[in-house]
Amino acid sequence: MDKIDLRSDTVTQPTPEMRVAMANADVGDDVYGEDPTVNQLQADAAAMFGKEAGLFVASGTMGNLTSVLAHCQRGDEMILSKDAHIFRYEVGSAAAYGGVQPNTLPIDRDGRMDIGHIRKAIRGNNVHYPITRLICLENTAGVSGAPLTKEYTDEVAALAHDHGLKLHIDGARIFNAAAALKIDVKDLTAGADSVSICLSKGLCAPVGSVIVGSKAFIQRAHHIRKSLGGGMRQAGILAAAGLIALHDMSQRLHEDHVNARALAEGLAALPYIDIDLDLARTNMVFFRVKPDAPLSAETLSDQLRDEFNIFITPYPGDPGLLRAVTHFWFKRQHVELVLNAIRALMATEYMAAD
Ligand SMILES: *Cc1c(COP(=O)(O)O)cnc(C)c1O
């Protein structure tokens, strides 16, 4: 049976077109600024997001860390959600390498921090306080896959700028947000001072992210990237795949959303599955196994893998919750295979025969 891997969109292999482009890429030493393919990727990303400049980095984590370090000084504070990837899953790097203190706020199921909460979290002028320097949003929000709207983003940007703060968007899946909202990424992120974009998730590139922002921001980020060991040499081999990710793969993400929706609706019709269909808006499907089900979420995950070669894993930190992420290599015909497998495993006859 073919492997069906829904653990994340990071599992996406490069497309055949990417492999050809990588093999034939025009390259140079990027630390000297001489890799034409990297330079093109950076210029194209900046143009697509309506920013002055871009920088190719090794990963989303490096893109976020570089951005935070470029905006903040040691002892400064950044406001972000307690579920933000930057806070939860980046090894505390902003604190470790930048001395940047996170001030975390709760988010609602649409991935939004309350504007009033953000306003209150911005520090006043008091000798006891750290200096608030930065607000970080995440779009789509990893906690639910929900896209943050332009209206919300603009509102947070206005609040930030009124207080002399910067706004960074962790846009690991910003193209998924744009596809779901049917808006250009340039408009969606117009209020942001920096955006970090993953090329290696739903966009299928094997490696890399791009950050975009003002010329001054990117100049500072360039130094920081070098200090983090991110000055790569003939990186055009990677950027060649990144260009296809940016231009072509970013335009087909609605297909992943349609498949996610079909999967979510199919799951909702299965016994013992608890799912909030309102949340299936991009390429992420979160669902629970009901307490009275014949098997737990963990056992379901194990048996899907062992019996059907289907990979769907429990979401860390929330027992009973499973997450399936659709992507380029998950096709429409796979939806029924997954649903049939779960239906079979949930059937008590199957359990009795096991
Ligand atoms: C994956 C991800 C990142 C980090 O990307 P890596 O390339 O894995 O370092 C950052 N933010 C969000 C929201 C992500 O999903």
Side-chain angles (χ1 to χ4, degrees), residues 15-327:
T15 64
E17 293 76 16
M18 285 179 177
R19 290 178 187 270
V20 171
M22 291 171 78
N24 297 313
D26 212 357
V27 296
D29 190 330
D30 181 51
V31 174
Y32 295 162
E34 290 176 2
D35 190 302
T37 311
V38 170
N39 290 341
Q40 193 189 336
L41 176 70
Q42 294 175 164
D44 288 5
M48 278 177 94
F49 283 79
K51 307 293 184 204
E52 288 175 1
L55 189 67
F56 183 51
V57 292
S59 66
T61 300
M62 186 184 275
N64 284 330
L65 177 58
T66 301
S67 300
V68 171
L69 297 186
H71 289 307
C72 300
Q73 304 290 326
R74 298 190 70 81
D76 285 349
E77 197 166 76
M78 62 176 171
I79 296 169
L80 75 178
S81 102
K82 70 176 181 57
D83 291 305
H85 196 280
I86 293 176
F87 181 63
R88 277 179 77 166
Y89 300 121
E90 300 188 5
V91 210
S93 56
Y97 304 114
V100 178
Q101 167 160 286
N103 187 351
T104 61
L105 301 179
I107 45 174
D108 64 20
R109 55 186 221 142
D110 290 326
R112 291 177 308 201
M113 296 180 279
D114 179 78
I115 298 281
H117 289 173
I118 301 177
R119 187 179 290 111
K120 264 195 215 149
I122 298 171
R123 305 283 189 163
N125 185 10
N126 181 312
V127 71
H128 300 86
Y129 293 163
I131 295 170
T132 309
R133 194 75 73 180
L134 180 67
I135 300 173
C136 300
L137 294 179
E138 186 173 297
N139 201 3
T140 61
V143 69
S144 61
L148 302 180
T149 62
K150 173 175 170 56
E151 291 68 32
Y152 176 77
T153 307
D154 286 350
E155 209 176 335
V156 175
L159 181 61
H161 297 151
D162 283 350
H163 290 81
L165 315 180
K166 303 291 187 191
L167 173 64
H168 172 69
I169 295 180
D170 176 356
R173 299 188 178 85
I174 193 71
F175 282 106
N176 290 93
L181 299 167
K182 299 190 168 61
I183 184 176
D184 197 305
V185 284
K186 189 186 291 187
D187 297 329
L188 183 55
T189 62
D193 298 284
S194 57
V195 187
S196 174
I197 306 122
C198 280
L199 303 169
S200 64
K201 294 199 166 165
L203 302 186
C204 287
V207 174
S209 281
V210 204
I211 55 177
V212 294
S214 70
K215 274 198 184 119
F217 165 80
I218 291 295
Q219 219 162 36
R220 218 173 124 61
H222 206 148
H223 270 260
I224 293 163
R225 182 187 72 172
K226 189 77 179 99
S227 80
L228 294 174
M232 297 183 284
R233 299 295 177 176
Q234 284 73 36
I237 298 279
L238 301 172
L243 278 164
I244 293 172
L246 195 64
H247 290 294
D248 300 340
M249 302 307 280
S250 65
Q251 305 306 308
R252 56 151 304 281
L253 293 172
H254 56 276
E255 294 170 26
D256 299 342
H257 300 176
V258 168
N259 289 337
R261 189 75 206 171
L263 181 62
E265 284 172 2
L267 284 167
L270 291 185
Y272 306 119
I273 298 290
D274 195 6
I275 181 168
D276 182 349
L277 281 178
D278 286 348
L279 287 185
R281 297 179 56 193
T282 58
N283 66 332
M284 290 191 195
V285 179
F286 288 88
F287 61 100
R288 285 179 192 281
V289 175
K290 288 184 181 162
D292 62 340
L295 44 164
S296 67
E298 286 69 24
T299 311
L300 176 64
S301 172
D302 290 347
Q303 294 196 359
L304 281 172
R305 179 195 61 222
D306 297 344
E307 319 253 348
F308 294 96
N309 209 13
I310 293 171
F311 289 70
I312 298 176
T313 41
Y315 196 63
D318 192 344
L321 186 67
L322 292 156
R323 186 187 75 166
V325 186
T326 61
H327 51 73

Side-chain angles (χ1 to χ4, degrees), residues 344 346-354:
M346 285 296 184
T348 43
E349 295 80 19
Y350 184 92
M351 294 303 292
D354 199 15

